[in-house]
Amino acid sequence: MKQNLVVIPTFNEIENIEDILIAVMNVTTPMDVLVVDDNSPDGTADKVLQIAKEYPNRIFLKKRMKKNGLGTAYVAGFNWALKNNYTYIFEMDADFSHNPNDLPLLLQACENGADVAIGSRYVKGVNVVNWPLSRVLLSYFASVYVRFITGMKVMDTTAGFICYNRKVLEQINLERIKFVGYAFQIEMKYRAFSRTFKLVEVPIIFTDRTKGKSKMSGGIIKEAVLGVLQLRFKKLFNKL
Ligand SMILES: Nc1nc2c(ncn2[C@@H]2O[C@H](COP(=O)(O)OP(=O)(O)O)[C@@H](O)[C@H]2O)c(=O)[nH]1
Ligand SMILES: [Mg+2]
Protein backbone atom coordinates (compact mmCIF):
# COMPACT_ATOMS: atom_id res chain seq x y z
CA MET A 1 0.00 0.00 0.00
CA LYS A 2 1.15 3.54 -0.74
CA GLN A 3 0.22 6.40 1.54
CA ASN A 4 -0.97 9.80 0.25
CA LEU A 5 -2.09 10.99 -3.18
CA VAL A 6 -3.33 14.50 -3.96
CA VAL A 7 -5.55 14.60 -7.06
CA ILE A 8 -5.47 18.01 -8.79
CA PRO A 9 -7.81 18.57 -11.76
CA THR A 10 -6.61 21.22 -14.19
CA PHE A 11 -7.92 23.19 -17.09
CA ASN A 12 -5.71 26.06 -18.22
CA GLU A 13 -3.70 26.45 -15.01
CA ILE A 14 -0.35 27.33 -16.59
CA GLU A 15 0.09 30.29 -14.20
CA ASN A 16 -0.33 28.04 -11.15
CA ILE A 17 0.74 24.52 -12.00
CA GLU A 18 4.48 24.72 -11.37
CA ASP A 19 4.11 26.55 -8.05
CA ILE A 20 1.37 24.27 -6.77
CA LEU A 21 3.31 21.09 -7.62
CA ILE A 22 6.42 22.36 -5.88
CA ALA A 23 4.35 23.48 -2.88
CA VAL A 24 2.89 19.97 -2.52
CA MET A 25 6.34 18.38 -2.93
CA ASN A 26 7.50 20.56 -0.01
CA VAL A 27 4.67 19.71 2.39
CA THR A 28 6.10 18.25 5.62
CA THR A 29 4.23 14.95 5.18
CA PRO A 30 5.21 13.20 1.92
CA MET A 31 2.47 13.42 -0.70
CA ASP A 32 2.36 12.16 -4.29
CA VAL A 33 0.33 14.08 -6.88
CA LEU A 34 -1.85 13.08 -9.80
CA VAL A 35 -2.81 15.91 -12.14
CA VAL A 36 -5.88 15.19 -14.26
CA ASP A 37 -5.65 17.58 -17.19
CA ASP A 38 -8.36 17.98 -19.83
CA ASN A 39 -6.04 18.77 -22.72
CA SER A 40 -5.56 22.40 -21.61
CA PRO A 41 -4.67 24.51 -24.67
CA ASP A 42 -2.22 26.55 -22.53
CA GLY A 43 0.23 23.65 -22.12
CA THR A 44 -0.47 22.79 -18.46
CA ALA A 45 0.14 19.08 -19.12
CA ASP A 46 3.59 19.61 -20.67
CA LYS A 47 4.58 21.66 -17.66
CA VAL A 48 3.48 18.81 -15.37
CA LEU A 49 5.67 16.35 -17.27
CA GLN A 50 8.61 18.73 -17.07
CA ILE A 51 8.33 19.13 -13.27
CA ALA A 52 7.63 15.41 -12.82
CA LYS A 53 11.12 14.64 -14.12
CA GLU A 54 12.58 16.46 -11.13
CA TYR A 55 10.55 14.34 -8.66
CA PRO A 56 10.77 10.73 -9.86
CA ASN A 57 7.71 8.64 -9.01
CA ARG A 58 5.98 11.40 -7.10
CA ILE A 59 4.16 13.41 -9.76
CA PHE A 60 1.85 11.72 -12.27
CA LEU A 61 -0.28 12.98 -15.12
CA LYS A 62 -3.56 11.66 -16.46
CA LYS A 63 -4.49 13.36 -19.68
CA ARG A 64 -8.03 13.39 -20.99
CA MET A 65 -8.97 14.29 -24.54
CA LYS A 66 -11.29 17.19 -23.82
CA LYS A 67 -12.81 19.37 -21.08
CA ASN A 68 -15.27 17.06 -19.43
CA GLY A 69 -15.97 18.72 -16.11
CA LEU A 70 -14.64 18.55 -12.59
CA GLY A 71 -16.68 15.53 -11.49
CA THR A 72 -15.51 13.04 -14.11
CA ALA A 73 -11.95 14.38 -13.82
CA TYR A 74 -11.98 13.50 -10.12
CA VAL A 75 -13.60 10.13 -10.74
CA ALA A 76 -10.84 9.30 -13.23
CA GLY A 77 -8.28 10.40 -10.62
CA PHE A 78 -9.90 8.39 -7.83
CA ASN A 79 -9.98 5.23 -9.93
CA TRP A 80 -6.30 5.71 -10.71
CA ALA A 81 -5.58 6.19 -6.99
CA LEU A 82 -7.41 3.00 -6.03
CA LYS A 83 -5.69 1.00 -8.76
CA ASN A 84 -2.32 2.30 -7.58
CA ASN A 85 -3.04 1.35 -3.97
CA TYR A 86 -3.08 4.68 -2.16
CA THR A 87 -4.58 4.72 1.34
CA TYR A 88 -5.48 8.42 1.63
CA ILE A 89 -6.70 10.30 -1.41
CA PHE A 90 -7.04 14.09 -1.44
CA GLU A 91 -8.97 16.58 -3.57
CA MET A 92 -7.43 19.99 -4.08
CA ASP A 93 -7.68 22.89 -6.60
CA ALA A 94 -4.64 23.97 -8.60
CA ASP A 95 -5.16 27.67 -7.86
CA PHE A 96 -3.94 28.01 -4.23
CA SER A 97 -7.48 28.61 -2.92
CA HIS A 98 -6.60 25.62 -0.77
CA ASN A 99 -3.33 25.93 1.12
CA PRO A 100 -1.17 22.83 0.50
CA ASN A 101 0.24 23.24 4.01
CA ASP A 102 -3.21 22.31 5.35
CA LEU A 103 -3.01 18.85 3.73
CA PRO A 104 -1.45 17.29 6.88
CA LEU A 105 -4.38 18.62 8.96
CA LEU A 106 -6.85 16.76 6.76
CA LEU A 107 -4.69 13.65 6.94
CA GLN A 108 -4.54 13.88 10.72
CA ALA A 109 -8.35 14.01 10.92
CA CYS A 110 -8.53 10.80 8.85
CA GLU A 111 -5.84 9.12 10.91
CA ASN A 112 -7.89 10.03 13.98
CA GLY A 113 -10.97 8.24 12.70
CA ALA A 114 -12.64 10.39 10.04
CA ASP A 115 -13.53 8.60 6.80
CA VAL A 116 -13.90 11.92 4.99
CA ALA A 117 -12.06 15.02 6.26
CA ILE A 118 -13.47 18.24 4.82
CA GLY A 119 -11.41 21.45 4.70
CA SER A 120 -14.24 23.71 5.77
CA ARG A 121 -14.74 27.46 5.35
CA TYR A 122 -17.80 27.70 7.56
CA VAL A 123 -17.11 25.65 10.65
CA LYS A 124 -15.61 28.53 12.62
CA GLY A 125 -17.38 31.64 11.30
CA VAL A 126 -16.71 32.44 7.64
CA ASN A 127 -13.11 31.98 6.54
CA VAL A 128 -13.03 33.20 2.98
CA VAL A 129 -10.49 35.74 1.78
CA ASN A 130 -10.94 38.00 -1.28
CA TRP A 131 -14.22 36.64 -2.58
CA PRO A 132 -16.87 39.26 -3.38
CA LEU A 133 -19.60 39.29 -0.73
CA SER A 134 -22.10 38.02 -3.31
CA ARG A 135 -20.06 34.85 -3.87
CA VAL A 136 -19.59 34.23 -0.15
CA LEU A 137 -23.32 34.59 0.44
CA LEU A 138 -24.13 32.30 -2.48
CA SER A 139 -21.76 29.65 -1.19
CA TYR A 140 -22.90 29.95 2.42
CA PHE A 141 -26.61 29.80 1.65
CA ALA A 142 -26.05 27.01 -0.83
CA SER A 143 -24.84 24.98 2.13
CA VAL A 144 -27.87 25.98 4.22
CA TYR A 145 -30.09 24.76 1.36
CA VAL A 146 -28.16 21.51 0.99
CA ARG A 147 -28.34 20.81 4.73
CA PHE A 148 -32.08 21.43 4.66
CA ILE A 149 -32.70 19.05 1.74
CA THR A 150 -30.24 16.29 2.66
CA GLY A 151 -30.06 16.40 6.45
CA MET A 152 -26.26 16.24 6.36
CA LYS A 153 -24.68 17.99 9.30
CA VAL A 154 -21.98 19.58 7.18
CA MET A 155 -21.41 23.36 7.23
CA ASP A 156 -19.43 23.53 3.97
CA THR A 157 -21.21 21.16 1.62
CA THR A 158 -19.58 22.41 -1.60
CA ALA A 159 -16.03 22.26 -0.22
CA GLY A 160 -13.49 20.83 -2.64
CA PHE A 161 -10.56 20.37 -0.26
CA ILE A 162 -10.96 16.85 1.04
CA CYS A 163 -9.15 13.76 2.30
CA TYR A 164 -10.87 10.40 1.75
CA ASN A 165 -9.97 7.10 3.28
CA ARG A 166 -9.80 4.76 0.27
CA LYS A 167 -12.60 2.57 1.63
CA VAL A 168 -15.05 5.45 0.99
CA LEU A 169 -14.06 5.67 -2.67
CA GLU A 170 -14.28 1.89 -2.97
CA GLN A 171 -17.86 1.85 -1.70
CA ILE A 172 -19.70 4.83 -3.17
CA ASN A 173 -20.26 3.72 -6.78
CA LEU A 174 -18.00 6.27 -8.44
CA GLU A 175 -19.08 5.13 -11.89
CA ARG A 176 -22.54 6.61 -11.31
CA ILE A 177 -21.26 10.14 -10.71
CA LYS A 178 -21.79 12.55 -13.55
CA PHE A 179 -22.11 16.09 -12.17
CA VAL A 180 -19.56 18.58 -13.40
CA GLY A 181 -19.42 21.33 -10.76
CA TYR A 182 -20.37 22.04 -7.14
CA ALA A 183 -23.06 19.35 -7.34
CA PHE A 184 -20.22 16.85 -7.61
CA GLN A 185 -18.81 17.97 -4.25
CA ILE A 186 -22.24 17.72 -2.65
CA GLU A 187 -22.85 14.29 -4.19
CA MET A 188 -19.56 12.87 -2.89
CA LYS A 189 -20.40 13.94 0.66
CA TYR A 190 -23.99 12.75 0.42
CA ARG A 191 -22.98 9.32 -0.89
CA ALA A 192 -20.50 8.97 1.96
CA PHE A 193 -23.02 10.25 4.53
CA SER A 194 -25.68 7.85 3.23
CA ARG A 195 -23.34 4.93 3.80
CA THR A 196 -22.81 6.16 7.38
CA PHE A 197 -19.18 7.07 6.87
CA LYS A 198 -17.83 9.58 9.37
CA LEU A 199 -17.50 13.11 7.93
CA VAL A 200 -15.35 15.54 9.93
CA GLU A 201 -14.88 19.25 9.15
CA VAL A 202 -11.46 20.79 9.67
CA PRO A 203 -11.39 24.61 9.70
CA ILE A 204 -9.31 26.10 6.87
CA ILE A 205 -8.92 29.54 5.33
CA PHE A 206 -9.98 29.66 1.67
CA THR A 207 -8.37 32.36 -0.46
CA ASP A 208 -9.62 33.37 -3.90
CA ARG A 209 -7.22 32.61 -6.72
CA THR A 210 -4.81 35.40 -7.67
CA LYS A 211 -3.72 33.85 -10.99
CA GLY A 212 -5.68 32.36 -13.87
CA LYS A 213 -9.44 32.31 -14.26
CA SER A 214 -12.26 30.49 -12.47
CA LYS A 215 -13.98 27.90 -14.64
CA MET A 216 -17.23 27.95 -12.71
CA SER A 217 -20.33 29.38 -14.39
CA GLY A 218 -24.05 29.99 -13.93
CA GLY A 219 -24.91 26.58 -15.37
CA ILE A 220 -22.99 24.96 -12.55
CA ILE A 221 -25.11 26.75 -9.96
CA LYS A 222 -28.29 25.56 -11.66
CA GLU A 223 -26.89 22.03 -11.76
CA ALA A 224 -26.26 22.21 -8.01
CA VAL A 225 -29.71 23.55 -7.09
CA LEU A 226 -31.55 20.91 -9.14
CA GLY A 227 -28.94 18.24 -8.52
CA VAL A 228 -29.49 18.25 -4.76
CA LEU A 229 -33.17 17.54 -5.26
CA GLN A 230 -32.32 14.74 -7.67
CA LEU A 231 -29.92 13.25 -5.13
CA ARG A 232 -32.54 13.43 -2.39
CA PHE A 233 -35.03 11.51 -4.54
CA LYS A 234 -32.41 8.95 -5.52
CA LYS A 235 -31.75 8.33 -1.85
CA LEU A 236 -35.47 8.01 -1.18
CA PHE A 237 -35.64 5.23 -3.78
CA ASN A 238 -32.38 3.64 -2.62
CA LYS A 239 -30.66 4.48 -5.89
CA LEU A 240 -27.85 6.65 -4.51
N1 LIG B 1 -9.66 18.44 -15.54
C1 LIG B 1 -10.53 19.44 -15.34
N2 LIG B 1 -10.28 20.36 -14.37
C2 LIG B 1 -11.17 21.37 -14.19
C3 LIG B 1 -12.36 21.50 -14.97
N3 LIG B 1 -13.04 22.60 -14.52
C4 LIG B 1 -12.29 23.12 -13.52
N4 LIG B 1 -11.17 22.40 -13.32
C5 LIG B 1 -10.12 22.59 -12.30
O1 LIG B 1 -10.76 22.39 -11.05
C6 LIG B 1 -10.26 23.28 -10.06
C7 LIG B 1 -11.40 24.16 -9.52
O2 LIG B 1 -11.88 25.03 -10.54
P1 LIG B 1 -11.93 26.61 -10.37
O3 LIG B 1 -12.07 27.20 -11.71
O4 LIG B 1 -10.79 27.07 -9.54
O5 LIG B 1 -13.28 26.78 -9.59
P2 LIG B 1 -13.63 27.78 -8.39
O6 LIG B 1 -12.52 27.64 -7.39
O7 LIG B 1 -14.94 27.32 -7.89
O8 LIG B 1 -13.67 29.12 -9.02
C8 LIG B 1 -9.13 24.06 -10.75
O9 LIG B 1 -7.91 23.41 -10.48
C9 LIG B 1 -9.51 23.96 -12.23
O10 LIG B 1 -8.39 24.06 -13.09
C10 LIG B 1 -12.58 20.51 -15.99
O11 LIG B 1 -13.58 20.53 -16.73
N5 LIG B 1 -11.65 19.52 -16.13
MG1 LIG C 1 -10.62 27.69 -7.54
Side-chain angles (χ1 to χ4, degrees), residues 48 91 96 101 117 148 177 189 197 219-220:
V48 173
E91 276 188 25
F96 284 94
N101 293 322
F148 178 72
I177 289 180
K189 295 177 189 70
F197 283 116
I220 277 167

Short mmCIF file of all heavy atoms in Angstrom, two decimals, residues 48 91 96 101 117 148 177 189 197 219-220:
data_model
loop_
_atom_site.label_atom_id
_atom_site.label_comp_id
_atom_site.label_asym_id
_atom_site.label_seq_id
_atom_site.Cartn_x
_atom_site.Cartn_y
_atom_site.Cartn_z
N VAL A 48 3.53 19.87 -16.39
CA VAL A 48 3.48 18.81 -15.37
C VAL A 48 4.58 17.78 -15.65
O VAL A 48 5.33 17.40 -14.75
CB VAL A 48 2.09 18.11 -15.34
CG1 VAL A 48 2.09 16.91 -14.40
CG2 VAL A 48 1.00 19.11 -14.94
N GLU A 91 -8.51 15.68 -2.51
CA GLU A 91 -8.97 16.58 -3.57
C GLU A 91 -8.43 17.96 -3.28
O GLU A 91 -8.55 18.43 -2.14
CB GLU A 91 -10.49 16.77 -3.49
CG GLU A 91 -11.36 15.77 -4.12
CD GLU A 91 -12.84 16.25 -4.08
OE1 GLU A 91 -13.13 17.46 -4.02
OE2 GLU A 91 -13.68 15.37 -4.11
N PHE A 96 -4.35 27.51 -5.55
CA PHE A 96 -3.94 28.01 -4.23
C PHE A 96 -5.11 28.54 -3.39
O PHE A 96 -4.89 29.16 -2.36
CB PHE A 96 -2.83 29.07 -4.30
CG PHE A 96 -1.48 28.46 -4.59
CD1 PHE A 96 -1.01 28.37 -5.89
CD2 PHE A 96 -0.68 27.97 -3.56
CE1 PHE A 96 0.23 27.80 -6.17
CE2 PHE A 96 0.56 27.40 -3.82
CZ PHE A 96 1.02 27.32 -5.13
N ASN A 101 -0.26 23.52 2.66
CA ASN A 101 0.24 23.24 4.01
C ASN A 101 -0.86 22.78 4.97
O ASN A 101 -0.56 22.35 6.09
CB ASN A 101 0.95 24.46 4.58
CG ASN A 101 2.22 24.73 3.80
OD1 ASN A 101 2.93 23.80 3.41
ND2 ASN A 101 2.50 25.99 3.53
N ALA A 117 -12.41 13.78 5.56
CA ALA A 117 -12.06 15.02 6.26
C ALA A 117 -12.28 16.17 5.27
O ALA A 117 -11.77 16.14 4.15
CB ALA A 117 -10.62 14.99 6.73
N PHE A 148 -30.63 21.54 4.50
CA PHE A 148 -32.08 21.43 4.66
C PHE A 148 -32.62 20.25 3.85
O PHE A 148 -33.42 19.45 4.34
CB PHE A 148 -32.74 22.75 4.23
CG PHE A 148 -34.23 22.72 4.31
CD1 PHE A 148 -34.88 22.72 5.54
CD2 PHE A 148 -34.99 22.70 3.15
CE1 PHE A 148 -36.27 22.68 5.62
CE2 PHE A 148 -36.38 22.66 3.22
CZ PHE A 148 -37.02 22.66 4.44
N ILE A 177 -21.34 8.69 -10.90
CA ILE A 177 -21.26 10.14 -10.71
C ILE A 177 -21.10 10.86 -12.04
O ILE A 177 -20.27 10.48 -12.85
CB ILE A 177 -20.09 10.46 -9.76
CG1 ILE A 177 -20.48 9.99 -8.36
CG2 ILE A 177 -19.75 11.95 -9.79
CD1 ILE A 177 -19.45 10.23 -7.32
N LYS A 189 -20.16 13.93 -0.79
CA LYS A 189 -20.40 13.94 0.66
C LYS A 189 -21.68 13.19 0.99
O LYS A 189 -21.75 12.45 1.96
CB LYS A 189 -20.48 15.38 1.16
CG LYS A 189 -19.17 16.13 1.02
CD LYS A 189 -19.30 17.57 1.46
CE LYS A 189 -18.06 18.36 1.12
NZ LYS A 189 -17.85 18.61 -0.32
N PHE A 197 -20.58 6.75 6.62
CA PHE A 197 -19.18 7.07 6.87
C PHE A 197 -19.10 8.32 7.74
O PHE A 197 -20.02 9.15 7.77
CB PHE A 197 -18.45 7.33 5.55
CG PHE A 197 -18.11 6.07 4.81
CD1 PHE A 197 -18.67 5.78 3.58
CD2 PHE A 197 -17.24 5.14 5.37
CE1 PHE A 197 -18.37 4.61 2.90
CE2 PHE A 197 -16.93 3.96 4.71
CZ PHE A 197 -17.49 3.70 3.47
N GLY A 219 -24.35 27.91 -15.13
CA GLY A 219 -24.91 26.58 -15.37
C GLY A 219 -24.60 25.64 -14.23
O GLY A 219 -25.39 24.76 -13.89
N ILE A 220 -23.43 25.85 -13.63
CA ILE A 220 -22.99 24.96 -12.55
C ILE A 220 -23.80 25.20 -11.28
O ILE A 220 -24.06 24.27 -10.51
CB ILE A 220 -21.47 25.16 -12.38
CG1 ILE A 220 -20.80 24.28 -13.43
CG2 ILE A 220 -20.99 24.81 -10.98
CD1 ILE A 220 -19.37 24.52 -13.65
#
